[in-house]
Amino acid sequence: MIRYTASRLISLILSLIVASVVIFAVIEVIPGDPAAYMLGMNAAPETVAALRRDLGLEAGVLARYFAWVGGMLTGDFGMSYTYRVPVADLVAARLWVSLPLTLYALGLAVALALPVGVLAAARRGSVTDAGIMGAAQLGVAVPNFWFAMLLVLVFAINLRWFSAGGFPGWDQGFWPNVKALTLPAVALALPQAAILARVMRSALIETLDQDYIRTARAKGLSHGQAVMRHALRNALIPVLTIVGLQFSFLLAGAIIIENVFFLPGLGRLIFQGITQRDLIVVESVVMLLVFAVILVTFLVDLAYAAVDPRLRRR
Amino acid sequence: MSLLSVEDLGLTIHGTPILDGVSFDLPVGQVLGLVGESGSGKSMTSLALMGLLPRGAQVSGQAHMDGRDLLALDERSLCGIRGKEIGMIFQEPMTALNPVRTIGDQVAETLVIHGAASRAGARAMARDRLDRVGLSDFPMDRFPHELSGGQRQRVCIAMAVALRPRLLIADEPTTALDVTTQAQILDLLKGLVEEEDMALLLITHDLAVVAGVADHVAVMQAGRIVEDGPTEQLFRTRRHDYTRQLFAASSHQPRRDTRPSAQPLLQVEGAVRSYTLPRRHLFGPAPQLHAVRDVSFTLHEGESLGLVGESGCGKSTLTRAILGLEPLQAGRITLNGQRVEAGRMPPALRAQVQVVFQDPYGSFNPRHRVERLVAEPFHLAPAPNRRDRVAQALVDVGLKPADMDKYIHEFSGGQRQRIAIARALIIRPKLIVLDEAVSALDVRVRAQILDLLADLQGRMGLSYLFISHDLSVVRAVTDRVMVMKAGEIVENGATGAIFDNPRHEYTRQLIAATPRIPPNWREREENEGTLV
Amino acid sequence: MKIPLTLLAGALLAGLAVLAALVSFIWTPHDAAGMNIAARLLPPGGDHLLGTDHFGRDVLSMLMVGARTSIAVAIVAVGMGVALGVPLGLVAAAGRGGFADEIIMRGNDLIFAFPALVIAILITAVFGPSAVNAILAIGIFNTPVFARVTRGAALSLWTLDYIRAAEVAGKGRARISLEHILPNIANILIVQGTIQFSLGILAEAGLSYVGLGAQPPTPSWGRMLAEAQTMISLAPHLALIPGMAIVMTVLGLNLVGDGLRDLLDPRMRRAR
């Protein structure tokens, strides 16, 4: 187990290093002179030179890379050019919207998809199965941001159960914020739940065809007992993979959905960063997103080992 | 008194008839061997008794056990019987256990599910059962992947007999195991039957296994029982034609007309091949697996040389090295005086050795026609009149030239092995490596393929390297034999001499473990007709 | 061979979008870019079958031209994924366990850490928004998907004896990959291609919606939705119609994928 964890940890660190190099190269090396790019074509040479000094662009590429990485490791993400505040402060505030939204949606998707997928697999070929799979087929095809617009139309504009957007902020208490995140989370979760339910169903059906299920039945377990005691845990292995991948889809989806609901999350920050050519903000937020995805991959790998003993002793 | 009495059992699956009028009696505490070739319906018979048939199955008839008709019971009552009154073990021990639960858990589950014991009590009883099947050295918290195939089959047996059922059904329980492991498992089953006064329904394709274990035998063919009776009597009289065919084929001796010369064809000198395994400790040295260690031998022109050994002994690695697919770390292999080396063999050298594999289903690209399949080795030695040569090769192996326009799925397993031989023959190699080439075939088909191989050898002066785990086949078709164990050749000599008078301890074990039909049961054999 | 019903239904739905895109090259009911302030925000019916938007543009015409963008972006992105991913997957499988395999698979894992949206953000931040960037982002995202699927399917084939027989016949890894592996995994790749195609349509819509994809005046479904959002209570049809077009197309492609899987994969056929 220690060996396995260590090897996953090494892989995590290597991924982070390579990812940071890629991001740094795209943002700071490919444009040539980031300062000139950020200020646009009409900027005076003196302004550009001043910004170059501000950003520390006088130093060599390697030195700048290490300064950037070193800064991030100590919580210093640099200064936003447009907001004139530390990027770390900007990001911290926005993260408390995007991250809860993503996790809320992930929780909803898993809570909905797993039971439904199990039900469909256990009743394979029945009307229930056909109904669930038909709904899932439709759910997979729905773009989450469009679904979000429909939710706004029905639940905010017509029924007035929720507000159409906005975020009160965590200092206003827990429940108002949960309410504000509910429609966005549902919009994000449903298409992913449809995918997850399909995966759960097919993984379980595949597991039910395995020899050890027949062994379990020969021991006297009923079909239901065989599913619960033997098939489920084995079927979770492919499901975990998809849950891990879905985190990154949900995170990306959250960035888009924030636009529909006017949520002050990372999405809004990064799109403002793009329009205002604030490369420092873009660079930091992208690195943060990629870090989150790599971290989740690592956690999923650990979860594998918890589920599957064959991995532990490798 | 019979424990189980099956009457007129019939089965269709989605309307296709599988079983028809199957009747037999299984007396208390006795062993009934159900023998037949693949597809004869013997496994389906056992699944029908357990009520574990696939979807779309329709059964008819009766199966009485303790005054109840198993075939008429509802699912709920069957759950109470399975595992408690009838235990069952299956063919594939590698996949029969849940990989994510410990062996102790899985054995204890049989007890818990039937309410026979509390959790703690069940664990104690599971420990006891594991000890009984010979796994006393194994802690209960081991996972299946930490056990060998034979050990896993022992766990399956412990699970099946945990509640001391009165009937145990074993469906090809030793087919996937090595011969020495097979002997141990069969001994274990025999012991359990005697100790627990349990009846055993043993399903197998292997007549020799039945001969050693069963009190009664029923022979199945195409969904019917064609003959049954006490084992010795049935083996001696062989009333039914099909029984006679099976019997003759299982001990078939092809007529061989070989003239091995003194000219060496393949020479292996001090061959070594080892693999680096993953490290056990983060900073420790990486362990090495010595698959082949210092192997030397010579194969002469026109000779049939056997190579026997159990799984993991290194014979596959050695075979790959001889085919020039695997580099050696030390030693050398020469074919006709030229060096065989993976990655740098001239086509003309490669063309002198071809191969026939075990699996008749995985040996051909399903998207190509037979013509292209058989012609593949022409890559080494281009020829102008390919179609003619393919047609000739097909005729040589007993097929028709017109078969070359078909796809491989249109052929049976035995026909596919013929096509594999045609592919090996097409560029007239000197040496053909037969890598378990008849192991996956039913006995009657196997006998035909062995005849074909013997005939081709006589006509074309081929040399064979015959690799097999099946000692009786090797004995029937080779001039000399080598016994391999743990990467080394432990014994090497004339086939008859080695089998009659084995010198190495391991060879003796192998021969002793090989199931055999007692020689005096086969007296009528001489005047029996030929094969199908 | 029996054609599955799902395949027919799916082909019908997806075919409608493709047909609309093709027809739009020679005919649309109105000029897709033609503004007419007098006829703005008309509800569906009458001269404008699906109504008009806030500039008085004909929604049906915009939808037809928008189908071009969606389909073109998705197809080119799938093509890019196949062109890069399949050879990488074949090479990785041919050298299984070796150095090339390790490098390719690590590279794959790395790209998986960048969701398509993040790639699009990176590219757009430096080069500005455009449909080409959307293609690049989705195409880069598709590459490891195809590499992984190819490698997985190829690995199971490499263990088969007919590959051994080809090796004994002196054929090299490249030749075996092309002659024996690729034709036998084509089924799986076709099914995966259909799935990625539908994902590409979704991704393109998402990117255009947030302004990282096709730019005005090129019509696109995602941008139509973005523009409709502010007027959703005023003219809900502007939001409903393009969304339904996306759902129908994606649903159609997914049904085609499922149908092809049933048709081409004997293992799945048996499982039903």
Side-chain angles (χ1 to χ4, degrees):
Chain A
M1 191 67 196
I2 295 172
R3 225 188 97 70
Y4 177 80
T5 312
S7 85
R8 295 292 88 200
L9 201 60
I10 291 170
S11 162
L12 166 94
I13 292 167
L14 282 178
S15 301
L16 282 177
I17 292 174
V18 180
S20 67
V21 169
V22 170
I23 293 169
F24 180 82
V26 171
I27 297 281
E28 296 209 21
V29 180
I30 292 179
D33 185 350
Y37 178 82
M38 285 167 75
L39 292 170
M41 278 184 290
N42 303 326
E46 307 86 75
T47 332
V48 175
L51 182 60
R52 286 178 63 86
R53 262 196 313 283
D54 267 9
L55 297 177
L57 292 183
E58 309 292 337
V61 169
L62 268 184
R64 270 159 54 206
Y65 171 76
F66 284 114
W68 176 59
V69 171
M72 280 192 300
L73 289 177
T74 56
D76 174 13
F77 287 66
M79 271 297 215
S80 160
Y81 169 67
T82 40
Y83 293 89
R84 296 282 169 197
V85 286
V87 176
D89 297 353
L90 284 175
V91 167
R94 310 302 181 101
L95 196 61
W96 284 109
V97 178
S98 297
L99 199 60
L101 173 57
T102 305
L103 294 177
Y104 191 178
L106 191 65
L108 279 181
V110 170
L112 180 66
L114 298 197
V116 162
V118 170
L119 183 68
R123 303 252 170 97
R124 171 155 54 139
S126 70
V127 181
T128 317
D129 181 23
I132 290 173
M133 282 305 105
Q137 186 73 267
L138 192 65
V140 171
V142 174
N144 52 25
F145 62 94
W146 181 65
F147 188 53
M149 288 162 70
L150 294 187
L151 290 178
V152 168
L153 188 63
V154 174
F155 292 102
I157 296 175
N158 288 335
L159 295 174
R160 299 188 174 278
W161 291 356
F162 294 89
S163 66
F167 188 76
W170 292 105
D171 49 354
Q172 301 295 308
F174 183 68
W175 291 110
N177 292 296
V178 171
K179 195 177 173 196
L181 291 182
T182 296
L183 281 190
V186 169
L188 275 175
L190 270 186
Q192 296 301 322
I195 295 175
L196 201 55
R198 283 164 62 113
V199 173
M200 182 72 235
R201 174 181 179 271
S202 63
L204 195 53
I205 285 176
E206 185 139 317
T207 313
L208 284 173
D209 282 342
Q210 298 293 315
D211 284 353
Y212 53 78
I213 297 300
R214 194 177 56 181
T215 308
R217 301 275 282 130
K219 279 200 278 191
L221 276 75
S222 69
H223 180 68
Q225 285 172 321
V227 171
M228 297 311 290
R229 287 166 170 253
H230 290 278
L232 213 51
R233 192 157 155 200
N234 282 287
L236 275 182
I237 296 168
V239 169
L240 265 178
T241 311
I242 302 299
V243 171
L245 283 178
Q246 283 194 323
F247 178 81
S248 75
F249 285 120
L250 286 171
L251 197 59
I255 286 173
I256 293 182
I257 289 277
E258 284 165 10
N259 274 330
V260 182
F261 293 94
F262 309 104
L263 297 175
L266 289 175
R268 297 279 292 291
L269 180 65
I270 202 165
F271 291 121
Q272 282 161 1
I274 290 175
T275 29
Q276 289 159 353
R277 300 192 171 193
D278 193 339
L279 290 183
I280 309 301
V281 166
V282 173
E283 189 178 45
S284 305
V285 177
V286 165
M287 189 63 222
L288 195 70
L289 294 176
V290 171
F291 171 72
V293 174
I294 292 176
L295 185 68
V296 167
T297 311
F298 171 72
L299 294 177
V300 167
D301 281 345
L302 293 192
Y304 277 144
V307 173
D308 190 345
R310 285 164 292 187
L311 287 174
R312 284 178 217 160
R313 287 179 202 236
R314 260 212 311 217
Chain B
M1 196 199 97
S2 55
L3 171 71
L4 173 72
S5 167
V6 177
E7 281 167 48
D8 203 25
L9 170 64
L11 168 67
T12 61
I13 295 181
H14 294 296
T16 311
I18 306 289
L19 299 175
D20 178 21
V22 171
S23 302
F24 58 85
D25 277 325
L26 180 48
V28 174
Q30 300 232 327
V31 182
L32 171 67
L34 194 54
V35 198
E37 294 178 306
S38 48
S40 60
K42 50 195 196 306
S43 292
M44 283 300 166
T45 305
S46 64
L47 293 177
L49 295 176
M50 292 291 277
L52 290 176
L53 289 165
R55 285 156 178 261
Q58 278 287 334
V59 280
S60 59
Q62 285 142 30
H64 290 287
M65 183 169 164
D66 289 334
R68 284 164 308 182
D69 179 6
L70 293 176
L71 304 182
L73 290 178
D74 62 3
E75 174 61 22
R76 216 184 147 74
S77 325
L78 279 170
C79 282
I81 288 178
R82 290 184 206 125
K84 187 161 182 236
E85 290 174 48
I86 310 178
M88 183 157 182
I89 50 180
F90 299 94
Q91 174 170 354
E92 273 301 333
M94 302 312 274
T95 52
L97 292 170
N98 185 342
V100 304
R101 295 187 53 194
T102 63
I103 56 171
D105 253 14
Q106 298 193 51
V107 175
E109 187 176 38
T110 310
L111 300 157
V112 173
I113 211 85
H114 291 284
S118 65
R119 248 166 222 290
R123 286 191 70 77
M125 280 164 77
R127 178 71 267 172
D128 175 62
R129 298 272 86 180
L130 284 170
D131 292 348
R132 171 61 192 91
V133 299
L135 293 175
S136 41
D137 294 340
F138 284 84
M140 306 261 285
D141 62 357
R142 284 294 160 87
F143 286 98
H145 71 275
E146 298 169 288
L147 275 60
S148 72
Q151 290 160 350
R152 290 188 212 191
Q153 195 60 297
R154 287 174 194 269
V155 175
C156 291
I157 293 172
M159 246 159 45
V161 302
L163 280 167
R164 303 173 197 265
R166 306 183 49 212
L167 170 62
L168 179 64
I169 302 177
D171 186 357
E172 302 271 9
T174 57
T175 306
L177 304 174
D178 280 323
V179 57
T180 48
T181 318
Q182 160 168 294
Q184 293 161 4
I185 295 288
L186 289 175
D187 277 346
L188 172 63
L189 288 174
K190 266 193 287 192
L192 283 167
V193 165
E194 278 164 26
E195 256 171 56
E196 317 264 339
D197 204 24
M198 201 166 56
L200 172 64
L201 176 60
L202 177 69
I203 293 163
T204 178
H205 67 284
D206 191 334
L207 285 177
V209 165
V210 172
V213 178
D215 303 303
H216 296 265
V217 180
V219 181
M220 271 194 105
Q221 183 195 16
R224 312 182 64 100
I225 290 184
V226 296
E227 182 173 1
D228 63 340
T231 307
E232 184 173 347
Q233 187 191 325
L234 182 136
F235 274 62
R236 281 184 185 274
T237 55
R238 283 164 256 149
R239 279 197 318 270
H240 196 276
D241 189 43
Y242 180 71
T243 314
R244 284 196 291 279
Q245 288 173 16
L246 278 187
F247 199 83
S250 69
S251 53
H252 181 64
Q253 177 84 46
R255 198 183 305 272
R256 297 183 60 236
D257 173 26
T258 56
R259 302 165 295 274
S261 73
Q263 179 69 34
L265 176 63
L266 174 74
Q267 286 178 289
V268 177
E269 294 160 48
V272 173
R273 177 74 176 125
S274 48
Y275 301 98
T276 307
L277 297 174
R279 284 166 215 271
R280 292 226 180 80
H281 306 287
L282 208 46
F283 301 105
Q288 299 278 312
L289 171 74
H290 301 283
V292 175
R293 39 177 111 193
D294 195 19
V295 165
S296 302
F297 67 89
T298 303
L299 169 71
H300 299 99
E301 276 192 19
E303 187 181 34
S304 273
L305 177 61
L307 175 61
V308 298
E310 299 186 300
S311 53
C313 73
K315 57 188 197 295
S316 308
T317 308
L318 181 59
T319 309
R320 287 176 53 79
I322 290 168
L323 291 171
L325 302 177
E326 183 94 37
L328 292 178
Q329 269 119 10
R332 53 188 275 143
I333 298 174
T334 53
L335 184 62
N336 233 352
Q338 281 177 281
R339 184 94 181 251
V340 171
E341 265 178 303
R344 48 185 113 157
M345 280 169 77
L349 176 60
R350 244 191 211 294
Q352 295 183 30
V353 52
Q354 286 295 304
V355 63
V356 178
F357 295 106
Q358 171 174 5
D359 178 14
Y361 296 89
S363 286
F364 304 95
N365 186 336
R367 300 192 168 265
H368 292 172
R369 288 176 198 276
V370 168
E371 179 187 357
R372 186 162 175 199
L373 294 172
V374 173
E376 183 155 49
F378 280 134
H379 184 67
L380 293 166
N385 47 347
R386 282 178 173 223
R387 259 186 96 81
D388 297 346
R389 293 272 298 269
V390 171
Q392 182 58 46
L394 288 174
V395 170
D396 284 341
V397 297
L399 296 170
K400 293 191 293 289
D403 288 334
M404 75 168 103
D405 294 321
K406 295 186 185 162
Y407 286 98
I408 197 68
H409 64 80
E410 298 172 57
F411 296 90
S412 70
Q415 287 171 322
R416 288 178 197 213
Q417 259 349 39
R418 288 177 189 269
I419 294 170
I421 294 168
R423 172 171 65 190
L425 282 178
I426 190 94
I427 48 171
R428 294 298 159 96
K430 289 194 151 45
L431 171 64
I432 294 185
V433 176
L434 301 161
D435 188 358
E436 302 275 6
V438 297
S439 301
L441 303 175
D442 277 325
V443 276
R444 290 183 302 163
V445 179
R446 183 173 77 193
Q448 293 164 4
I449 298 292
L450 290 176
D451 278 341
L452 171 67
L453 288 170
D455 172 55
L456 290 170
Q457 184 169 41
R459 277 197 287 150
M460 302 184 179
L462 294 166
S463 305
Y464 291 146
L465 179 59
F466 198 101
I467 296 143
S468 181
H469 69 280
D470 186 336
L471 272 68
S472 57
V473 172
V474 170
R475 176 167 206 174
V477 300
T478 59
D479 302 303
R480 279 194 308 135
V481 67
M482 304 182 288
V483 182
M484 194 164 179
K485 187 196 179 197
E488 287 173 283
I489 295 201
V490 296
E491 192 160 3
N492 176 0
T495 303
I498 287 204
F499 277 89
D500 293 336
N501 195 9
R503 278 195 303 266
H504 195 275
E505 175 56 30
Y506 179 67
T507 316
R508 268 184 237 135
Q509 279 174 21
L510 276 185
I511 292 173
T514 304
R516 233 179 328 185
I517 301 172
N520 59 347
W521 287 9
R522 30 172 96 244
E523 278 143 16
R524 279 178 53 218
E525 216 166 344
E526 290 74 35
N527 48 29
E528 246 163 40
T530 46
L531 300 167
V532 204
Chain C
M1 221 186 291
K2 197 165 156 276
I3 309 273
L5 201 66
T6 50
L7 185 59
L8 286 177
L12 205 70
L13 284 176
L16 205 62
V18 176
L19 193 70
L22 291 177
V23 169
S24 76
F25 281 105
I26 47 174
W27 176 81
T28 52
H30 296 265
D31 178 6
M35 302 189 196
N36 180 1
I37 302 299
R40 55 200 282 264
L41 295 177
L42 288 180
D47 184 30
H48 296 279
L49 202 59
L50 296 180
T52 59
D53 73 353
H54 55 298
F55 291 125
R57 290 175 296 190
D58 180 55
V59 171
L60 177 58
S61 306
M62 288 172 72
L63 211 57
M64 287 171 70
V65 181
R68 279 196 324 227
T69 318
S70 286
I71 291 171
V73 168
I75 283 189
V76 178
V78 169
M80 185 172 154
V82 170
L84 295 175
V86 172
L88 285 174
L90 287 176
V91 168
R96 61 210 167 280
F99 185 66
D101 185 21
E102 188 68 16
I103 292 289
I104 290 169
M105 293 324 286
R106 289 291 140 265
N108 265 345
D109 290 348
L110 185 72
I111 299 178
F112 267 125
F114 289 80
L117 179 76
V118 172
I119 302 175
I121 287 172
L122 271 179
I123 300 176
T124 309
V126 175
F127 298 105
S130 75
V132 175
N133 290 350
I135 291 176
L136 267 180
I138 303 170
I140 291 174
F141 176 77
N142 277 341
T143 304
V145 173
F146 281 101
R148 204 169 268 211
V149 168
T150 304
R151 176 177 179 272
L155 275 185
S156 61
L157 289 188
W158 272 101
T159 63
L160 292 179
D161 280 342
Y162 69 78
I163 303 299
R164 234 36 10 85
E167 287 181 314
V168 173
K171 292 182 175 169
R173 287 176 183 183
R175 196 182 175 110
I176 289 174
S177 290
L178 292 178
E179 204 171 287
H180 290 297
I181 306 281
L182 193 55
N184 281 299
I185 63 170
N187 290 346
I188 297 168
L189 294 180
I190 289 170
V191 171
Q192 191 65 41
T194 323
I195 295 170
Q196 294 310 119
F197 188 18
S198 78
L199 287 177
I201 302 254
L202 278 177
E204 191 276 336
L207 292 178
S208 308
Y209 170 76
V210 291
L212 298 181
Q215 295 300 301
T218 315
S220 89
W221 293 349
R223 262 223 354 280
M224 287 170 78
L225 285 173
E227 287 168 8
Q229 194 184 325
T230 47
M231 286 165 287
I232 191 157
S233 50
L234 211 59
H237 72 276
L238 289 183
L240 288 177
I241 290 166
M244 270 156 37
I246 296 172
V247 171
M248 269 172 55
T249 312
V250 173
L251 181 64
L253 286 169
N254 285 338
L255 289 176
V256 169
D258 282 8
L260 283 177
R261 196 197 316 255
D262 290 355
L263 195 67
L264 300 175
D265 184 350
R267 204 173 69 104
M268 291 299 292
R269 216 178 305 156
R270 205 168 0 104
R272 302 235 159 183

